[in-house]
């Protein structure tokens, strides 16, 4: 097998494809390249990006047309959170499947962000049970980035955390940024980015390691109209790729884009 | 691998904060210049200045990454890689700072035991990094952490070196090795200083790791 094929197979396995299936896909891809009498990298592009693309295409084709019925990616059973004597929420039951977008809505202070952090595992629930898939991407409402690093350096840092080589992490990050109509400046520090662009960086970092479950806390803060539409287009793409998406929102017109709505305020 | 990337990028972040960097680098110099007329005092003050500068730098580096570190853990990094990488960066910077000041002192003062003086400064820098990390772990806000480090360094500076209070302070090892380096005493000062430095490093590094391992822990959620 060529070096490209080895990288392609490795990336498929890193993305969670079973080794046997990854080998089969790598062989089929090599065969296609041979039939076209072309080198795989000139035909398909970088191996790690094509692996993501192929996986996304394959998952989309296995999803039924009438609603999501993928594997359960997140299940909350009777989850509650108390701070000392104050109960923030109690008895939350929520199930989100692959290929499904769920929105968490509610008034300010009802615990939407806390619930999302519980889903991520960053905050412990006071009661109840959380079951979720291992590969999770979390996009906080603010912070979560380092002001003195560039976007490329963030890709390197978060990629290293996920076991990706620096070059691969950077090219994947730039590829994902392009989907949000953003081309990161090589030398521009994050603290000099606009609020909306910093949120784009946040989104890319949440998706960089190709999670099965994306947890987004009002990720469109500071987006202009075009970027806001790009964002929901991206959410639809994730949904079609079989990923589960949970988005905290307070904008009611967002709800047309989602499969289920969980009103946290209604529990009170 | 992850720890090295974290270390390299932490160093790059600090390197971009030019004004802060100049202040950190120059801090030990003022300590040195105040007592330049006395070789022993100037070296001890210089060493304490290095300890203060490196511990404060670590405090700010660790505190500045509070928003990023939980996300790195979620992406798959271990606590040891994240915190170890940051301590590695400030330790390396601190040892480089110590080397530069050792060169200055060697040229300016003519040291009798230059290797021991180098050890005194490098050990203090190495202890200062996890000390700053431990203070950052215990006191998450920068002002409180900076004031705590100021208190530690002030007590270290003013306490009777033979008394118990000075021995309980983190930079006592530098003073002991300094006595060996400057006053031509027996090697027992060197060994006592080394033992104190190693023990302090273990306590500070272990304490930092333990607190962050608890704070950045991720629950084992079962697959649905």
């Amino acid at each position: 097998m060529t070096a490209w094929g080895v990288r392609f197979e490795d990336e498929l396995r890193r993305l969670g494809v079973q080794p046997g299936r990854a080998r089969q896909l790598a062989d089929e891809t090599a065969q296609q390249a041979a039939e076209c009498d072309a080198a795989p990298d000139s035909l398909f592009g970088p191996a790690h990006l094509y692996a993501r693309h192929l996986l996304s295409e394959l998952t989309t084709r296995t999803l039924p047309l009438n609603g999501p019925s993928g594997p359960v990616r997140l299940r909350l059973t009777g989850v509650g959170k108390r701070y000392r004597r104050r109960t923030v929420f109690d008895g939350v039951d929520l199930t989100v499947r692959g290929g499904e977008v769920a929105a968490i809505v509610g008034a300010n202070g009802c615990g939407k962000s806390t619930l999302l952090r519980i889903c991520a595992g960053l905050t412990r629930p006071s009661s109840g049970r959380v079951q979720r898939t291992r590969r999770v991407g979390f996009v906080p409402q603010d912070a979560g980035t380092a002001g003195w690093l560039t976007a490329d350096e963030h890709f390197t840092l978060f990629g290293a955390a996920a076991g990706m080589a620096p070059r691969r992490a950077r090219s994947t990050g730039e590829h994902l940024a392009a989907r949000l109509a953003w081309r990161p400046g090589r030398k521009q520090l994050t603290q000099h980015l606009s609020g909306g662009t910093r949120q784009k960086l946040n989104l890319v970092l949440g998706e960089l390691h190709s999670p099965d479950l994306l947890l987004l806390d009002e990720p469109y803060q500071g987006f202009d109209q075009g970027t806001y539409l790009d964002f929901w287009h991206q959410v639809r793409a994730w949904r079609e790729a079989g990923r589960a998406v949970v988005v905290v929102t307070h904008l009611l017109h967002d709800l047309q884009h989602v499969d289920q709505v969980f009103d946290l305020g209604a529990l009170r | 691998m992850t720890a090295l990337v974290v270390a390299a990028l932490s160093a790059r972040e600090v390197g971009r904060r030019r004004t802060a960097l100049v202040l950190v680098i120059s801090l030990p110099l003022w300590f040195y210049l105040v007592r330049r007329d006395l070789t022993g005092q100037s070296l001890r003050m210089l060493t304490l200045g290095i300890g203060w500068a490196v511990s404060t730098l670590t405090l700010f580096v660790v505190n500045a990454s509070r928003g990023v570190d939980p996300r790195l853990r979620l992406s798959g990094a271990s606590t040891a890689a994240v915190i170890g990488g940051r301590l590695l960066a400030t330790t390396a910077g601190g040892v480089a700072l110590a080397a530069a000041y050792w060169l200055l002192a060697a040229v300016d003062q003519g040291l009798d035991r230059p290797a021991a003086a180098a050890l005194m400064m490098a050990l203090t820098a190495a202890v200062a990094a996890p000390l700053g990390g431990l203070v950052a772990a215990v006191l998450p806000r920068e002002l409180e952490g900076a004031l705590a480090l100021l208190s530690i360094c002030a007590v270290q500076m003013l306490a009777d070196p033979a008394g118990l209070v000075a021995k309980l302070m983190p930079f006592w090892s530098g003073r002991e090795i300094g006595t060996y380096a400057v006053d031509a005493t027996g090697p027992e000062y060197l060994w006592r200083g080394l033992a104190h430095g190693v023990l302090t490093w273990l306590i500070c590094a272990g304490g930092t790791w333990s607190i962050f391992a608890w704070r950045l822990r991720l629950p084992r959620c079962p697959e649905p």
Side-chain angles (χ1 to χ4, degrees), chain A residues 91-203:
Chain A
V92 173
D93 296 312
L94 176 69
T95 300
V96 186
R97 294 177 172 274
E100 187 176 15
V101 180
I104 298 174
V105 298
N108 289 341
C110 72
K112 300 188 294 292
S113 296
T114 304
L115 181 59
L116 204 70
R117 288 180 65 85
I118 288 174
C119 295
L122 296 174
T123 298
R124 292 191 170 241
S126 308
S127 59
R129 179 178 163 88
V130 179
Q131 294 168 280
R132 65 162 168 76
T133 183
R134 196 170 55 83
R135 299 167 70 91
V136 178
F138 176 65
V139 179
Q141 192 174 359
D142 50 16
T145 55
W148 292 89
L149 293 181
T150 64
D152 267 5
E153 288 162 350
H154 277 91
F155 301 151
T156 305
L157 182 62
F158 280 72
M164 296 165 78
R167 269 182 66 181
R168 179 178 297 185
R170 282 196 297 272
S171 67
T172 305
E174 285 165 9
H175 171 74
L176 297 175
R179 288 196 197 168
L180 292 167
W182 172 44
R183 191 174 175 196
R186 292 267 170 204
K187 291 182 179 172
Q188 193 172 24
L189 298 179
T190 303
Q191 63 181 332
H192 297 145
L193 297 175
S194 69
T197 311
R198 211 173 304 153
Q199 275 305 95
K200 289 181 186 178
L201 173 62
N202 249 335
L203 269 175

Side-chain angles (χ1 to χ4, degrees), chain B residues 92-106:
Chain B
V95 170
L97 185 70
Y101 276 115
W102 172 80
L103 195 64
L104 169 75

Side-chain angles (χ1 to χ4, degrees), chain A:
Chain A
M1 191 182 291
T2 61
W4 189 96
V6 172
R7 288 200 302 275
F8 177 69
E9 188 181 335
D10 286 348
E11 183 69 6
L12 285 173
R13 287 162 67 166
R14 204 184 66 74
L15 293 172
V17 177
Q18 294 296 318
R21 176 71 172 144
R23 168 55 62 92
Q24 185 192 357
L25 288 170
D27 289 342
E28 285 174 8
T29 308
Q31 203 176 343
Q32 279 178 33
E35 283 168 7
C36 297
D37 199 20
D41 53 349
S42 63
L43 192 62
F44 302 117
H48 62 288
L49 295 183
Y50 185 65
R52 278 173 177 252
H53 172 74
L54 184 66
L55 201 58
S56 162
E57 288 290 304
L58 289 171
T59 317
T60 304
R61 283 174 200 174
T62 56
L63 277 175
L65 293 174
N66 52 346
S69 64
V72 174
R73 299 296 191 194
L74 173 72
R75 181 178 288 134
L76 306 180
T77 313
V79 167
K81 183 66 185 174
R82 292 168 63 88
Y83 287 111
R84 295 184 181 155
R85 289 182 181 177
R86 190 173 76 90
T87 300
V88 183
F89 51 78
D90 200 14
V92 173
D93 296 312
L94 176 69
T95 300
V96 186
R97 294 177 172 274
E100 187 176 15
V101 180
I104 298 174
V105 298
N108 289 341
C110 72
K112 300 188 294 292
S113 296
T114 304
L115 181 59
L116 204 70
R117 288 180 65 85
I118 288 174
C119 295
L122 296 174
T123 298
R124 292 191 170 241
S126 308
S127 59
R129 179 178 163 88
V130 179
Q131 294 168 280
R132 65 162 168 76
T133 183
R134 196 170 55 83
R135 299 167 70 91
V136 178
F138 176 65
V139 179
Q141 192 174 359
D142 50 16
T145 55
W148 292 89
L149 293 181
T150 64
D152 267 5
E153 288 162 350
H154 277 91
F155 301 151
T156 305
L157 182 62
F158 280 72
M164 296 165 78
R167 269 182 66 181
R168 179 178 297 185
R170 282 196 297 272
S171 67
T172 305
E174 285 165 9
H175 171 74
L176 297 175
R179 288 196 197 168
L180 292 167
W182 172 44
R183 191 174 175 196
R186 292 267 170 204
K187 291 182 179 172
Q188 193 172 24
L189 298 179
T190 303
Q191 63 181 332
H192 297 145
L193 297 175
S194 69
T197 311
R198 211 173 304 153
Q199 275 305 95
K200 289 181 186 178
L201 173 62
N202 249 335
L203 269 175
V204 171
L205 296 177
E207 199 201 349
L208 195 68
H209 59 294
S210 197
D212 298 319
L213 170 65
L214 273 152
L215 304 168
L216 317 174
D217 192 355
E218 299 196 35
Y220 40 71
Q221 303 263 350
F223 281 1
D224 56 35
Q225 184 65 21
T227 310
Y228 179 79
L229 295 174
D230 285 339
F231 163 71
W232 281 109
H233 178 76
Q234 185 60 43
V235 170
R236 277 196 298 277
W238 288 329
R239 179 183 181 276
E240 286 166 13
R243 292 183 184 176
V245 182
V246 179
V247 56
V248 165
T249 183
H250 63 272
L251 301 178
L252 293 179
H253 61 266
D254 283 348
L255 303 183
Q256 62 182 307
H257 302 288
V258 307
D259 299 299
Q260 65 162 312
V261 178
F262 183 81
D263 187 355
L264 197 55
L267 289 178
R268 294 188 155 188

Side-chain angles (χ1 to χ4, degrees), chain B residues 11-186:
Chain B
R12 210 176 286 182
E13 274 188 273
V14 172
R16 285 180 180 143
R17 302 183 68 165
R18 299 275 165 78
T19 309
L21 196 61
V22 167
L23 289 171
V24 163
I25 290 172
S26 62
L27 191 147
L29 183 65
W30 314 130
F31 279 64
Y32 176 74
L33 291 178
V34 166
R35 290 299 180 98
R36 184 168 169 265
D37 52 325
L38 298 167
T39 301
Q41 283 297 317
S42 62
L43 277 184
R44 288 186 187 108
M45 293 300 283
L46 173 63
T47 304
L48 188 59
I50 291 170
W52 193 4
V54 175
S55 55
T56 306
L57 182 69
T58 309
L59 169 80
F60 279 76
V61 165
V62 172
N63 273 338
S65 61
R66 273 181 189 278
V68 175
D69 289 350
R71 296 187 75 188
L72 292 177
R73 287 280 291 123
L74 264 183
S75 297
S78 66
T79 304
V82 172
I83 298 302
R86 302 208 189 279
L87 293 188
L88 183 64
T90 52
T91 301
V95 170
L97 185 70
Y101 276 115
W102 172 80
L103 195 64
L104 169 75
V107 171
D108 192 43
Q109 302 275 355
L111 304 170
D112 291 336
R113 287 173 168 170
L119 178 67
M120 166 178 69
M121 294 182 200
L123 184 65
T124 300
V127 167
L131 172 68
L134 183 60
V135 171
V138 175
L139 298 169
R141 293 192 177 88
E142 287 171 348
L143 177 62
E144 286 86 332
L147 289 173
L149 283 175
L150 177 63
S151 305
I152 289 170
C153 290
V155 171
Q156 183 80 72
M157 198 186 311
L158 299 172
D160 172 15
L164 178 66
V165 173
K167 288 173 187 167
L168 292 175
M169 291 290 109
F171 299 130
W172 185 73
S173 54
R175 182 172 273 274
E176 284 297 278
I177 300 173
T179 303
Y180 172 78
V182 177
D183 299 336
T185 56

